[in-house]
Amino acid sequence: MQLAHLSPEDTIVEIGPGAGSLTHVLAASVQRVVAIEIDRDLIPALRANMPSNVEVIEGDALEIDFPSAPFHLVGNLPYNVATPLFKRFIENRDRVLSVTVMIQKEVAERLVARPRTAAYGPLSVLVQYYAQVTYGFTVPPGAFKPPPKVDSAVIRLEWKPDVAIATDFTDFVHHAFSSRRKTLVNNLLSMFGSLGREEILRHMEEAGIKPNARPEELSVSEFLRVYNQIK
């Protein structure tokens, strides 16, 4: 709760309320909670036990319509869909004021990873392009019943101001990381083959990137420089 920086007038969208333990805490702290739960067996008990400022919606957070008014997003994200959910949060960041969620520790480490580390990859670049990521704390398996087989972690995203949505930059970054064993120029040839190797190398040089650079060596700002040169 402290990491989320919530105020009494806030609206919260909670993904995956489960039995509703966190939902009750949120409802006592903010004006409105919209709890999205995909497990239909949990819906009747959630609706029966929640205070009046909680709206329980049955549905998939990857598909359901978010509220039209701005809100903060809180939740315990399912491990298998955490990455596509982050992409959806980015796409809706005009309404999603902040994101404070618990995810698999491995995914959290990817979100905060720096260049030249094993965890650094396309998700690191894309999320850090749009947001300032704060790693809150680690949650051991023993905190849950039944305990999962992995550690969890709570992280917070706060959007950087004046960053435009760039779908083609997303595609660019994914192509750049298409093979970690290859150099950046070889990976980009799969996307910009019509330019030719020498042309891509020229753009990289103009962006200040060495010709034998590998994708995991580039910072977010360096990816942007190469992207803007080729674009």
Side-chain angles (χ1 to χ4, degrees):
M1 284 290 292
Q2 289 182 344
L3 190 64
H5 304 305
L6 301 179
S7 300
E9 66 274 12
D10 286 339
T11 293
I12 302 298
V13 169
E14 182 190 9
I15 293 177
S21 299
L22 177 59
T23 317
H24 278 284
V25 175
L26 292 170
S29 305
V30 301
Q31 186 176 71
R32 181 188 180 211
V33 178
V34 178
I36 301 173
E37 177 55 60
I38 196 171
D39 188 342
R40 65 179 57 186
D41 293 335
L42 298 175
I43 299 296
L46 280 171
R47 288 179 173 160
N49 296 319
M50 288 298 144
S52 59
N53 64 333
V54 176
E55 178 184 3
V56 178
I57 298 177
E58 179 186 342
D60 187 340
L62 285 171
E63 300 175 356
I64 203 164
D65 289 336
F66 286 146
S68 56
F71 60 90
H72 295 271
L73 199 146
V74 175
N76 183 0
L77 301 190
Y79 294 160
N80 60 326
V81 292
T83 296
L85 279 172
F86 278 114
K87 292 179 179 177
R88 186 159 196 232
F89 302 158
I90 289 171
E91 292 169 357
N92 290 274
R93 67 189 182 92
D94 58 327
R95 287 177 286 167
V96 181
L97 299 175
S98 69
V99 177
T100 307
V101 291
M102 182 159 59
I103 54 177
Q104 186 175 343
K105 184 182 178 184
E106 179 184 344
V107 178
E109 290 172 341
R110 288 162 58 194
L111 293 179
V112 299
R114 311 313 300 171
R116 300 178 182 272
T117 62
Y120 189 69
L123 186 63
S124 316
V125 175
L126 293 172
V127 171
Q128 291 175 31
Y129 168 66
Y130 290 107
Q132 179 68 42
V133 188
T134 302
Y135 189 107
F137 51 90
T138 301
V139 184
F144 304 93
K145 292 183 180 181
K149 296 180 180 180
V150 296
D151 286 338
S152 302
V154 177
I155 60 99
R156 177 176 170 83
L157 305 185
E158 294 181 85
W159 308 121
K160 295 177 181 176
D162 304 321
V163 177
I165 292 288
T167 303
D168 49 352
F169 180 64
T170 300
D171 295 337
F172 175 83
V173 171
H174 279 288
H175 276 281
F177 278 96
S178 57
S179 176
R180 295 181 74 100
R181 295 184 177 183
K182 294 182 179 181
T183 60
L184 178 64
V185 62
N186 285 334
N187 285 338
L188 292 181
L189 276 170
S190 67
M191 186 178 189
F192 302 105
S194 59
L195 293 178
R197 183 182 185 85
E198 295 305 316
E199 183 74 4
I200 292 176
L201 283 170
R202 183 178 65 80
H203 287 306
M204 288 174 54
E205 181 182 6
E206 291 171 348
I209 307 302
K210 62 184 181 181
N212 62 341
R214 296 186 180 277
E216 66 270 19
E217 298 175 350
L218 273 66
S219 67
V220 176
S221 60
E222 287 172 328
F223 269 110
L224 280 170
R225 292 208 303 267
V226 178
Y227 164 76
N228 287 325
Q229 283 291 335
I230 293 179
K231 182 182 175 183

